[in-house]
Amino acid sequence: MQVLVRDNNVDQALRVLKKKMQREGLFREMKARSAFEKPSEKRVREKAEAVRRARKLARKKAQREGLIPAPKKKTAIGRP
């Protein structure tokens, strides 16, 4: 993973790096590897994640087809 530092702004580069790592699921993997997970717990977790993904996909599909309303977009207060 690579992040460019512009104008010696290390703080911004660090924020970008953390966001990329979060998106890739690196923090979740590090937490999972820090302690042993029983095979039964792993199955339960993976099944729950699969159900969550399937529900999210079904919700997105229903929104595209107009069966349920799309969530309202948040507007930033104080910005022109």
Side-chain angles (χ1 to χ4, degrees), residues 24-76:
E24 292 290 324
L26 205 70
F27 292 121
R28 184 180 300 147
E29 186 176 339
M30 286 183 347
K31 184 178 178 184
R33 288 177 185 243
S34 68
F36 179 74
E37 184 178 24
K38 289 172 37 179
S40 60
E41 291 173 348
K42 183 178 179 181
R43 275 194 304 272
V44 168
R45 178 182 52 79
E46 288 178 348
K47 177 75 173 172
E49 288 175 357
V51 167
R52 206 173 302 125
R53 280 193 306 272
R55 283 185 182 158
K56 183 176 182 179
L57 187 66
R59 186 173 59 245
K60 294 279 187 184
K61 185 177 178 185
Q63 286 174 355
R64 278 196 302 273
E65 294 173 355
L67 298 175
I68 59 174
K72 294 180 180 176
K73 296 190 178 189
K74 297 178 183 176
T75 58

